[in-house]
Amino acid sequence: MTSTPVQGAQVVSRVASLLRIVGRKPEGSPLVELVRESGLTRPTVHRLLSSLASEGLLDQDPQSGNWVLGPEILLMGSVASARFPLEDIARPSLRRLAEETGESAFFSIRRGAETVCLLREEGSFPVRSFVLHEGVRFPLGVASAGTAIMAFLPEAEQEELLAGWAAHARDFAAAHTEALVRENLAKTRQAGYSVNPGLVLEGSWGMGAAVFDQRGRPAWALSLTGIEPRFKGERQELLGRLLMEEAHRISTLLQGTAGAV
Amino acid sequence: MTSTPVQGAQVVSRVASLLRIVGRKPEGSPLVELVRESGLTRPTVHRLLSSLASEGLLDQDPQSGNWVLGPEILLMGSVASARFPLEDIARPSLRRLAEETGESAFFSIRRGAETVCLLREEGSFPVRSFVLHEGVRFPLGVASAGTAIMAFLPEAEQEELLAGWAAHARDFAAAHTEALVRENLAKTRQAGYSVNPGLVLEGSWGMGAAVFDQRGRPAWALSLTGIEPRFKGERQELLGRLLMEEAHRISTLLQGTAGAV
DNA sequence: CCCAAACCATCCATATTGTGGACACTCATC
DNA sequence: GATGAGTGTCCACAATATGGATGGTTTGGG
């Protein structure tokens, strides 16, 4: 993440990390938070934010003063979507999943050693969790989407992640011990789908299924989240079946897409 | 565009301009093109591109070697869309327009003194133009979308643009003389929709209608493009009516949206 | 098959550029 | 009206990004 093999690029890496932090939440972040999260000094952060804003990459919300993603990001995102039309590919599956299960459905992408939540579709069930939303990142192996993806990576890559597990999982390492994760990965490989039994947030369960790219690598994941009682017993198998069905449908769709991400 | 009121931000402005150039075309750009367009030296461009790529903001297409928008842009675009759900708001109108008219339909946004094409919906008519696609920018007052928007700006802003017209319109100034543009703007204000009679590309006509934000400012535009014979006489009035209908529908939808862009 | 042209990648001494400590301001809260 | 938490700005300093120069690779033409 913080590795920058490219020389002479201090500002680029700083700017990128600020953009990522701002992009974690649709409502953006105040300056202090960006200072804290980035580890930079206030003047530096402020100057970078101002220049990013003057370029249209960020905006400052007049009400809250929060820094939010700017119009240029929207534009570029729109162009990037032309190469990879997420909405067309994944949205219908999310709609069906949310509709049929009543839970909230998510589409996440693998990005390096993380998963990032891209799309969300609210379910009808009146109790909903708000841990997961567009922009949220988890280390691979944490949460249902990350587990589903990691389970189907080449074994060497899995072992690499597990070797530096504590550093990789960070705050999540406490609840996600290496042994527990290994067990979850094995279960996932067997069942085809992953189950997160409230490890991220007590009582908040999740299930996920990996989506494979043209080269057969697990690059995305569909997932469902909801409260514990709705993810047990027979219903768990039902949800798993639905997830895998839709994941397979998307994987197939992707065979027809030109550019990979 | 090139104005940078913020101090200590050279790299930020350079990076932003590179991203914008790459984002002009979904298929990206080769290094030379970026060097030419940005006016920077090759080593500098190369270094910035490499660092942007290592941050995931860009990617280098393995086939063509072209630099293209990277996964992080897709992610951030997705988050930005949560604040401003373009697809939900504008896509249905584009579908209807393309369906009912057979021409290709576009949704553009105003960004400073430019319009940027955000969404495209292909029509069924077998002759199609490829001048306009996601990411393409025109100076305000050029092409149908830019004319529709400019016509409804406060008079002072219009005069400001016209004052520096040659510099503003650049390559388009030849075909778009100040007198002609003034006339087009007047016609647009009267009819409610704009007509571009092949000024950008001979034989390729366009029509546009402005979409207004919460504060009543023209911030977006719907437009149609196609070949000359299909944009004349009674049909022109029909297309104008359809465009204005859909533009009005979107303007109304936007009243309900929280965050402006 | 060889040569030229066009494009891409990298090195490193230089000074231009970005940095951050210190100071000033604004707005809640007590 | 005093305290504190957050935001915005200045400027001397040096770390950082710069770009001329060099070498490598691919494409196409003779």
Side-chain angles (χ1 to χ4, degrees):
Chain A
M1 198 84 258
T2 333
S3 73
T4 309
V6 184
Q7 293 302 321
Q10 195 201 52
V11 178
V12 174
S13 123
R14 291 178 170 194
V15 157
S17 99
L18 288 176
L19 287 175
R20 265 194 297 266
I21 298 171
V22 171
R24 285 213 282 248
K25 295 174 288 178
E27 74 274 17
S29 325
L31 182 66
V32 260
E33 186 180 325
L34 289 159
V35 170
R36 181 167 15 92
E37 299 282 319
S38 67
L40 303 171
T41 61
R42 195 174 24 278
T44 298
V45 172
H46 186 264
R47 182 166 26 76
L48 292 176
L49 292 176
S50 308
S51 23
L52 285 168
S54 90
E55 297 292 341
L57 292 167
L58 292 181
D59 247 353
Q60 197 166 14
D61 188 274
Q63 311 234 317
S64 61
N66 274 8
W67 296 86
V68 296
L69 294 177
E72 288 285 355
I73 297 284
L74 195 72
L75 308 187
M76 296 193 297
S78 173
V79 175
S81 303
R83 255 169 61 90
F84 185 77
L86 277 183
E87 285 287 336
D88 299 350
I89 292 177
R91 182 66 73 186
S93 290
L94 290 184
R95 291 241 163 86
R96 280 190 295 270
L97 281 171
E99 167 86 11
E100 290 175 30
T101 68
E103 314 298 338
S104 294
F106 304 86
F107 186 65
S108 304
I109 186 177
R110 175 187 175 195
R111 169 83 199 115
E114 298 179 317
T115 55
V116 191
C117 172
L118 279 175
L119 303 174
R120 165 176 65 169
E121 187 78 32
E122 298 276 337
S124 59
F125 192 71
V127 182
R128 293 177 212 163
S129 152
F130 292 94
V131 269
L132 196 51
H133 55 75
E134 291 93 340
V136 168
R137 290 160 190 255
F138 285 114
L140 278 180
V142 171
S144 55
T147 305
I149 291 178
M150 184 169 167
F152 294 101
L153 284 176
E155 208 178 318
E157 287 186 49
Q158 292 187 46
E159 287 306 327
E160 207 173 312
L161 287 168
L162 288 164
W165 185 251
H168 169 69
R170 301 176 163 259
D171 300 351
F172 299 102
H176 297 70
T177 61
E178 194 185 323
L180 189 54
V181 169
R182 280 188 188 277
E183 191 191 320
N184 265 342
L185 290 172
K187 279 192 200 159
T188 301
R189 268 188 297 275
Q190 207 184 352
Y193 55 84
S194 65
V195 180
N196 161 26
L199 293 178
V200 174
L201 184 68
E202 206 185 328
S204 173
W205 283 43
M207 293 181 57
V211 172
F212 297 85
D213 69 11
Q214 289 95 329
R215 279 162 298 181
R217 293 175 53 91
W220 299 275
L222 285 170
S223 58
L224 291 167
T225 69
I227 54 172
E228 178 168 357
R230 292 173 62 88
F231 282 75
K232 288 184 152 171
E234 277 187 27
R235 188 168 156 86
Q236 184 174 101
E237 283 163 44
L238 167 71
L239 296 182
R241 205 158 357 135
L242 287 172
L243 276 167
M244 287 174 62
E245 230 174 86
E246 294 296 347
H248 181 70
R249 195 177 305 207
I250 297 181
S251 295
T252 311
L253 265 176
L254 285 169
Q255 305 308 317
T257 309
V261 178
Chain B
M1 200 85 256
T2 334
S3 74
T4 310
V6 184
Q7 294 301 320
Q10 196 202 54
V11 178
V12 174
S13 122
R14 290 178 170 194
V15 158
S17 99
L18 288 176
L19 287 175
R20 266 194 296 266
I21 298 170
V22 172
R24 285 213 282 249
K25 295 174 288 178
E27 74 274 17
S29 326
L31 182 66
V32 258
E33 186 180 325
L34 288 159
V35 170
R36 181 164 18 88
E37 300 280 319
S38 67
L40 303 172
T41 62
R42 190 162 26 330
T44 298
V45 172
H46 186 264
R47 182 165 25 76
L48 292 176
L49 292 176
S50 308
S51 24
L52 285 168
S54 89
E55 297 293 339
L57 292 166
L58 292 180
D59 246 353
Q60 197 167 14
D61 188 276
Q63 312 234 316
S64 61
N66 274 8
W67 296 87
V68 296
L69 294 177
E72 290 284 354
I73 297 285
L74 195 72
L75 307 188
M76 295 193 297
S78 170
V79 174
S81 303
R83 256 170 60 89
F84 185 77
L86 277 183
E87 285 287 337
D88 299 350
I89 292 177
R91 184 64 75 186
S93 290
L94 290 184
R95 291 242 163 85
R96 279 191 296 269
L97 281 171
E99 167 86 11
E100 290 175 33
T101 69
E103 314 299 338
S104 293
F106 302 86
F107 187 64
S108 305
I109 185 176
R110 175 186 175 193
R111 170 84 199 113
E114 298 179 318
T115 55
V116 191
C117 174
L118 279 175
L119 304 174
R120 166 176 64 170
E121 186 78 31
E122 297 276 336
S124 59
F125 192 72
V127 182
R128 292 176 213 165
S129 152
F130 292 93
V131 268
L132 196 50
H133 56 75
E134 291 93 340
V136 168
R137 290 162 190 252
F138 285 114
L140 278 181
V142 170
S144 55
T147 305
I149 290 178
M150 183 169 168
F152 294 99
L153 284 176
E155 209 178 316
E157 286 185 50
Q158 292 187 47
E159 287 306 328
E160 208 174 309
L161 287 169
L162 288 163
W165 185 251
H168 168 70
R170 300 175 165 262
D171 300 351
F172 299 102
H176 298 70
T177 62
E178 192 186 325
L180 189 54
V181 170
R182 280 189 187 276
E183 192 190 319
N184 265 341
L185 290 172
K187 278 192 200 159
T188 301
R189 269 188 298 273
Q190 208 184 350
Y193 55 83
S194 65
V195 179
N196 161 26
L199 294 178
V200 174
L201 184 69
E202 207 186 327
S204 173
W205 284 42
M207 292 181 57
V211 172
F212 297 85
D213 68 12
Q214 290 94 329
R215 279 162 299 183
R217 292 174 54 91
W220 299 275
L222 284 170
S223 58
L224 291 167
T225 68
I227 55 172
E228 178 169 356
R230 292 174 62 87
F231 281 75
K232 287 184 151 172
E234 276 186 28
R235 186 167 157 87
Q236 185 174 101
E237 283 163 44
L238 166 73
L239 297 184
R241 206 159 356 138
L242 287 173
L243 276 168
M244 288 175 62
E245 230 174 85
E246 294 295 347
H248 181 70
R249 194 177 308 205
I250 296 180
S251 295
T252 311
L253 267 177
L254 286 169
Q255 305 308 316
T257 309
V261 178

